């Protein structure tokens, strides 16, 4: 990403050049790709570019703040980055409100890690993420635990799929 692109992006979404420059390289690359792939011909196109860049800027800002959370709490940054985006946002927002609640940040992290395999389970079983996320947390955690213990990448996992489906019913 060059200085002109950074200036253009900061102008479009109304943030400082420094906030764009401080973003993760992947975020910056994605922003550049948006500039290069969406041609702006009308207000609808302008809105699409703004929305896409703004979403990336928000994600990048959350990632930047996670580094501060990691430094303050001792939770490894790699762990925080591996969490789902909603949990990351919650942790950052709560950290910004009261950074002394270290126990709460560990609780949020552990809860998210306990159900981190739900996407893989949805793919394996054909059960929608919406349906899996609507289950009680205890069931989600049990399903993820069984998945972690029994999933075999060299198998059809038919028994595992049956076990998971039985737990849901």
């Amino acid at each position: 990403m060059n200085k002109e692109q950074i200036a253009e992006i900061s102008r479009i979404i109304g943030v400082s050049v420094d906030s764009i420059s401080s973003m993760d390289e992947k975020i910056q690359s994605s922003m550049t790709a948006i500039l290069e792939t969406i041609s702006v011909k009308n207000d609808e196109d302008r809105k699409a570019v703004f929305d896409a860049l703004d979403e990336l800027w928000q994600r990048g800002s959350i990632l930047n703040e996670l580094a501060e959370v990691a430094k303050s709490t001792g939770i490894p940054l790699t762990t925080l980055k591996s969490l789902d985006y909603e949990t990351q946002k919650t942790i950052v927002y709560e950290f910004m409100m009261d950074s002394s609640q270290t126990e709460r940040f560990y609780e949020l992290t552990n809860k998210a890690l306990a159900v981190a395999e739900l996407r893989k389970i949805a793919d394996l079983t054909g059960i929608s993420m919406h349906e899996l996320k609507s289950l009680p947390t205890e069931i989600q955690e049990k399903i993820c635990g069984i998945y972690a213990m029994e999933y075999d990448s060299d198998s059809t996992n038919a028994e595992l799929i049956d076990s998971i489906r039985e737990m849901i019913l």
Side-chain angles (χ1 to χ4, degrees):
M1 176 179 275
N2 62 41
K3 289 182 181 185
E4 291 80 28
Q5 289 170 319
I6 291 172
E8 178 69 5
I9 291 167
S10 69
R11 184 192 64 72
I12 291 170
I13 58 177
V15 299
S16 72
V17 168
D18 289 342
S19 78
I20 303 295
S21 299
S22 71
M23 298 278 156
D24 177 83
E25 224 174 272
K26 287 173 73 175
I27 296 286
Q28 288 185 9
S29 295
S30 296
M31 288 177 159
T32 302
I34 288 168
L35 283 183
E36 293 172 350
T37 57
I38 300 176
S39 96
V40 178
K41 297 175 186 153
N42 54 41
D43 286 342
E44 191 175 299
D45 295 340
R46 242 182 300 290
K47 181 173 176 5
V49 168
F50 173 85
D51 289 346
L53 290 174
D54 185 58
E55 181 181 331
L56 286 168
W57 179 80
Q58 288 179 40
R59 286 184 180 272
S61 296
I62 294 294
L63 289 174
N64 284 348
E65 289 300 318
L66 285 177
E68 192 61 37
V69 172
K71 196 182 315 177
S72 177
T73 63
I75 300 171
L77 182 57
T78 54
T79 300
L80 292 171
K81 284 184 172 183
S82 74
L83 302 175
D84 64 280
Y85 183 59
E86 290 303 314
T87 302
Q88 289 175 342
K89 283 194 317 191
T90 300
I91 289 172
V92 166
Y93 294 153
E94 289 191 21
F95 180 81
M96 292 170 82
M97 288 188 294
D98 183 358
S99 62
S100 69
Q101 300 298 315
T102 303
E103 193 173 303
R104 171 75 174 145
F105 307 128
Y106 273 91
E107 176 187 328
L108 289 168
T109 301
N110 288 332
K111 280 184 177 182
L113 290 173
V115 295
E117 304 292 346
L118 281 181
R119 168 60 52 208
K120 292 177 183 175
I121 292 167
D123 293 342
L124 177 69
T125 62
I127 299 168
S128 73
M129 275 296 287
H130 176 74
E131 188 175 344
L132 291 174
K133 286 201 170 242
S134 69
L135 296 169
T137 304
E138 184 179 297
I139 300 293
Q140 291 178 35
E141 290 172 358
K142 285 181 181 179
I143 291 169
C144 287
I146 287 174
Y147 175 86
M149 290 185 291
E150 296 183 15
Y151 178 78
D152 179 0
S153 60
D154 296 325
S155 165
T156 63
N157 293 294
E159 289 180 32
L160 174 59
I161 293 168
D162 289 343
S163 295
I164 290 171
R165 289 183 183 203
E166 285 175 20
M167 291 181 75
I168 293 172
L169 301 176

